[in-house]
Amino acid sequence: MDFIRYAERAAALVNAELPDEEALREHLADRSWLHRSLVAGDVKSVQAFQAELRPVFEASDVDDVRLVVSSLNALLAQHPVTPMISDHDPGNLHMHVANRAASVAELLIGEALMGLATLVCDLGATRLGTCSEPRCDHVYVDTSPNQSRRYCSDRCSSRANVAAFRARQKAAAG
């Protein structure tokens, strides 16, 4: 299991707009094998989970370690993870966070929770955040060595830097 990738997928899941099954399929474009497993309730389950998970990123962003831990523990209790050894490639046995009977929503939720729980234990509870660009509400995972990430993407970082530069230019001219 690649827990960092699972944590980053958790952020992508929170950031995704998923109004319907087609949007969920698009979100899973790089995992097309999951498309055939989608069931009617997956969209509603994922939407509910997105709302439950966002506060974890917000708590981490303000260094509220207790709230990050208690929120993740509550979500882990609410959404039990059922790992299994996968043998679809006998030469590369590995763990999956859900068994074959799990829905796509259960798989995404399990990956998100195990990824974030492991990241919090390994790197600390303040490695999640919300984008500092005022026009953006996306979340991110900070795996930088000096825990310096403030933006969800290079685009938002550039946008903020350009805005700051223009403000300095305007102040210097006025």
Side-chain angles (χ1 to χ4, degrees):
M1 285 188 256
D2 182 349
F3 290 114
I4 296 294
R5 185 177 65 190
Y6 285 169
E8 289 169 344
R9 282 186 183 162
L13 186 63
V14 171
N15 294 336
E17 296 209 17
L18 302 172
D20 54 31
E21 191 173 313
E22 184 56 34
L24 183 54
R25 284 181 195 283
E26 287 176 28
H27 178 72
L28 296 169
D30 63 330
R31 301 168 82 185
S32 59
W33 64 91
L34 292 175
H35 292 186
R36 66 181 175 272
S37 302
L38 283 173
V39 297
D42 281 338
V43 173
K44 287 196 183 298
S45 295
V46 170
Q47 289 170 336
F49 182 68
Q50 286 175 305
E52 295 168 341
L53 193 55
R54 177 173 280 284
V56 173
F57 286 85
E58 293 168 348
S60 180
D61 197 49
V62 296
D63 298 334
D64 191 338
V65 174
R66 285 185 192 270
L67 185 56
V68 170
V69 171
S70 65
S71 296
L72 281 174
N73 281 335
L75 288 169
L76 284 164
Q78 183 180 345
H79 303 281
V81 177
T82 309
M84 65 171 258
I85 299 171
S86 175
D87 63 353
H88 60 81
D89 178 2
N92 181 25
L93 298 177
H94 57 279
M95 295 291 292
H96 284 192
V97 297
N99 62 38
R100 287 185 178 96
S103 70
V104 171
E106 291 168 331
L107 172 69
L108 296 176
I109 291 167
E111 287 177 349
L113 291 175
M114 290 304 298
L116 292 173
T118 302
L119 180 123
V120 163
C121 290
D122 290 350
L123 299 180
T126 59
R127 290 297 189 133
L128 310 173
T130 58
C131 188
S132 293
E133 161 50 41
R135 295 167 285 186
C136 183
D137 66 350
H138 284 188
V139 299
Y140 60 84
V141 173
D142 183 359
T143 57
S144 66
N146 58 356
Q147 196 173 342
S148 60
R149 188 164 177 184
R150 294 179 39 224
Y151 300 100
C152 69
S153 65
D154 290 340
R155 179 178 174 221
C156 280
S157 176
S158 288
R159 190 186 299 173
N161 288 332
V162 167
F165 174 76
R166 288 182 180 154
R168 285 191 304 273
Q169 295 288 68
K170 187 177 180 178

